[in-house]
Structures are given as structure tokens and as C-alpha cells.
Amino acid sequence: MAKLDLLPGETLIGSGQMSLYLKQGLSKKPFQGHVFVTNQRACFKISMARQLEMDLPVKEIQGFQVSHMLFITKVTICARNGDTYSLTGFPAKKLQSWLEKAGVKRL
């Protein structure tokens, strides 16, 4: 499993394998990787990449939304700057509780 280098005073709330939808041309395509939620930030690391694709401090997250695509739960993290990050995968329900524990509200 992927590992996240924690910052000083940071504790991991939860992590799991998910897909992040990124814009590729005119559509969004899923990229496999791992989501991490700590008491200070929410991060996503694509499996084949070294850097974090998403690294949002909790104070920069406006909230999260939950929707469904057929039978799949999609959690969309909304940043205060207008960026959105849509994630799907097995721990989608757990991701919601991890975000709430970090102080992020459901929109």
C-alpha cells in the first residue's frame, strides 16, 4: 500500500485504495491510487506517480458532496478555490466519516 509522509503533529485518520477522476481532454477519466485523510489534510496519490495529485489542507476544503453513478458511490471534495476532486471506490462510505472526523462538513 502507498505511504504518506506525515507532517509534524499530523495523525492519519484513514486511507484506502480509490479512483480519482481527472480531466483528460473533454472528459474525466479515473486514475487508481490511494486517498489519505489526516487531522490536517486530505491527499490522493496516483499509484504510478511519486507526487501527490491532491494535497488539500482541511482549512482549504469547503466541504464534500455525495452522489451515485449507477451503483457506485461518488464522493466529491470541494476546495474553497472552486476545484473539485471526485473519488470512487470501496471505501467511499468510510471516506465520508474520515472527512467528518477531520472537521470537513457535508454540503
Side-chain angles (χ1 to χ4, degrees):
M1 182 166 175
K3 186 179 175 196
L4 176 69
D5 294 325
L6 298 175
L7 302 173
E10 188 173 32
T11 57
L12 184 65
I13 295 173
S15 67
Q17 188 172 3
M18 297 189 80
S19 294
L20 174 67
Y21 287 78
L22 297 174
K23 190 166 184 160
Q24 295 288 307
L26 298 174
S27 64
K28 287 190 174 189
K29 296 188 180 185
F31 287 85
Q32 297 288 328
H34 287 82
V35 65
F36 303 92
V37 178
T38 73
N39 61 329
Q40 296 180 17
R41 59 190 172 142
C43 305
F44 187 87
K45 187 174 195 178
I46 294 175
S47 295
M48 301 307 254
R50 291 182 184 227
Q51 75 277 3
L52 295 171
E53 186 62 39
M54 175 183 75
D55 190 1
L56 288 173
V58 170
K59 65 182 179 187
E60 292 182 20
I61 301 174
Q62 180 179 353
F64 70 93
Q65 300 172 333
V66 179
S67 60
H68 297 279
M69 300 183 325
L70 297 174
F71 299 106
I72 300 169
T73 301
K74 177 172 73 169
V75 177
T76 302
I77 298 173
C78 304
R80 294 196 186 279
N81 67 2
D83 291 342
T84 58
Y85 302 89
S86 297
L87 299 124
T88 60
F90 177 70
K93 289 188 179 188
K94 290 181 180 180
L95 175 59
Q96 296 169 54
S97 67
W98 299 337
L99 289 168
E100 288 171 345
K101 286 180 185 174
V104 177
K105 63 181 177 177
R106 185 174 178 160
L107 301 174

